[in-house]
Amino acid sequence: MLKHIKNTVLAMLAGASAFTALLMVAVGYSDHLSPEEYPLLACAGLVFPFLMAANLLWLVVLVIIKWKWVWIPLLGFALAYVPIRTYIPINFSQEVPDDCLTVVSYNVCGFGGNLKYDNAIDTVAGYLQRVDADIVCLQEDMGGKGGSGFEKMKEIYPYNDTVHVSGASKMVNAVGIHSRFPIVGKERIDYASVANGSVAFYLLVNEDTILVINNHLESTHLSKDERQRYKEVLKGDVEHEEMKEEVHFIAGKLGENMARRAPQAEAVHRYIEAHRQYSIIVCGDFNDTPISYTRHTIAQDLTDCFVSAGCGFGLSYNQKGFNLRIDHMMCSEHWTPYRCYIDNKMDASDHYPLVCSLKMCDNH
């Protein structure tokens, strides 16, 4: 009798472990699903790190109680290798060649200082000078606490341009580029959005024309109160029934705005495909996580610089309860990333800057 109960319990544990592993794999590849067709399923990537942790916990449990079954979570990790590496890459540091370009993508929050710096434009400018950036792509590249951010950038870089992407008459969002290299052209990528946009800038680098696409894609549009309720849900500070309602509401709203981002990402991808004759760098605030249709769509046939040369989770959005990597950088086969990191010491915005060292390949 006891043996039968023991075997039943072990079988249930094995089944639970297998279910967790399969769910992790399914969620890991959910970035292939269009949010326009599957709005709720497209949100699944948000729980991927929790499923990784759960599968790891099952691995530990099975090592202790039934080590012959550890193949179940191990197989799950093997099948989910690609999304796991996308979400949390592990790369050993390597020497950065002298002829690399330092490229920075940074949502500066209108040079607002993140409530910490009175002269935020000086803080941002000083940082860019310290990292010795060659090309800087800024989102929300307008305004300035302590002066004009754009005018300050002109003191540092000889070539500067910013494009107002807001539909309103008042500038509430702009994407800009500040460079040591001449800007020889620009084109806005056409897609529907009230206050977001993507702009292709053409730079002349060592007699080659390169294409740099700077993006600020649709935000989550969660209000301050909705964000606070979301944090309370994460902390478990709400009743069960209320938690179910809040989770359903937040998932629905996130799915709705993921659906808005989907055609934007597709438009950027089409533009990239139509301009493959150039060496390409794509970056910006995607407002979506590593396991998302947005990142997956834009990253097609490109190298994700953080995945290739970064390490760890790389959390780029720094608001508590929403710590995620939503800022990304990709490059065409013309480039090799040597180092890519999120600089979490630079806290003058609600985002951290993404910094990458890129070397143009010798055969291009």
Side-chain angles (χ1 to χ4, degrees):
M1 180 67 178
L2 290 176
K3 184 176 181 180
H4 176 72
I5 294 174
K6 178 183 177 182
N7 290 337
T8 300
V9 171
L10 289 175
M12 291 174 62
L13 292 177
S17 175
F19 176 77
T20 301
L22 288 172
L23 188 59
M24 179 186 67
V25 174
V27 168
Y29 293 99
S30 65
D31 57 3
H32 291 63
L33 299 176
S34 170
E36 293 182 289
E37 298 180 27
Y38 308 97
L40 291 180
L41 290 177
C43 296
L46 293 169
V47 302
F48 186 68
F50 302 103
L51 292 172
M52 286 193 294
N55 198 56
L56 181 61
L57 180 61
W58 275 118
L59 178 62
V60 173
V61 169
L62 291 177
V63 165
I64 296 172
I65 66 171
K66 192 72 173 179
W67 67 268
K68 291 183 179 180
W69 288 353
V70 298
W71 65 268
I72 298 173
L74 288 177
L75 179 60
F77 282 130
L79 293 175
Y81 171 78
V82 171
I84 289 172
R85 177 162 172 75
T86 298
Y87 206 98
I88 179 170
I90 303 297
N91 295 292
F92 297 103
S93 60
Q94 53 183 323
E95 186 176 349
V96 178
D98 292 335
D99 55 350
C100 276
L101 297 184
T102 300
V103 182
V104 174
S105 178
Y106 191 14
N107 183 326
V108 294
C109 196
F111 295 94
N114 201 20
L115 306 179
K116 297 181 179 182
Y117 299 96
D118 290 330
N119 295 306
I121 59 166
D122 291 333
T123 304
V124 173
Y127 171 77
L128 296 174
Q129 289 177 305
R130 289 195 302 274
V131 299
D132 199 24
D134 297 292
I135 300 172
V136 178
C137 291
L138 300 184
Q139 302 86 44
E140 300 186 26
D141 183 25
M142 72 290 176
K145 192 175 181 182
S148 168
F150 187 78
E151 292 302 315
K152 187 66 178 182
M153 292 300 102
K154 288 165 66 176
E155 296 178 13
I156 306 174
Y157 293 97
Y159 306 101
N160 305 270
D161 199 352
T162 192
V163 177
H164 175 202
V165 295
S166 308
S169 57
K170 183 180 178 181
M171 182 181 287
V172 295
N173 196 2
V175 294
I177 193 164
H178 308 278
S179 170
R180 290 178 175 159
F181 307 103
I183 303 167
V184 296
K186 67 179 178 181
E187 183 178 11
R188 184 166 176 180
I189 299 175
D190 183 37
Y191 57 70
S193 181
V194 173
N196 305 276
S198 300
V199 180
F201 295 98
Y202 293 81
L203 307 184
L204 187 61
V205 179
N206 301 328
E207 300 184 352
D208 290 323
T209 300
I210 73 168
L211 173 58
V212 181
I213 302 176
N214 189 5
N215 303 272
H216 189 289
L217 304 182
E218 201 76 26
S219 74
T220 58
H221 296 294
L222 289 177
S223 69
K224 186 176 180 180
D225 289 341
E226 290 165 351
R227 289 171 183 264
Q228 182 58 40
R229 293 203 301 271
Y230 173 74
K231 293 177 185 179
E232 292 171 358
V233 168
L234 290 180
K235 293 178 182 178
D237 294 340
V238 297
E239 297 295 329
H240 180 68
E241 287 302 318
E242 185 181 353
M243 180 181 293
K244 286 172 59 178
E245 292 178 6
E246 288 296 332
V247 169
H248 187 267
F249 170 79
I250 291 170
K253 194 160 187 179
L254 292 175
E256 177 184 333
N257 288 293
M258 285 179 175
R260 290 178 180 172
R261 277 192 296 277
Q264 298 173 3
E266 290 163 359
V268 173
H269 173 65
R270 286 193 300 271
Y271 192 92
I272 293 168
E273 289 300 305
H275 295 80
R276 283 287 182 179
Q277 68 271 32
Y278 295 101
S279 59
I280 300 172
I281 299 171
V282 184
C283 63
D285 178 4
F286 289 15
N287 272 309
D288 237 328
T289 66
I291 307 299
S292 65
Y293 181 81
T294 298
R295 192 216 69 94
H296 170 76
T297 298
I298 295 177
Q300 292 179 76
D301 299 319
L302 296 175
T303 298
D304 187 311
C305 298
F306 190 84
V307 174
S308 176
C311 194
F313 288 103
L315 308 177
S316 66
Y317 188 64
N318 58 39
Q319 299 304 288
K320 291 181 179 179
F322 294 87
N323 304 84
L324 299 163
R325 186 165 91 246
I326 61 175
D327 298 87
H328 305 277
M329 187 178 300
M330 292 100 181
C331 60
S332 62
E333 70 277 5
H334 304 81
W335 302 91
T336 300
Y338 276 89
R339 188 186 183 211
C340 193
Y341 64 98
I342 302 292
D343 195 338
N344 58 16
K345 295 180 180 178
M346 182 54 188
D347 57 356
S349 171
D350 53 358
H351 291 245
Y352 295 128
L354 170 60
V355 185
C356 293
S357 297
L358 302 178
K359 175 181 169 58
M360 187 171 283
C361 300
D362 294 333
N363 57 336
H364 289 288

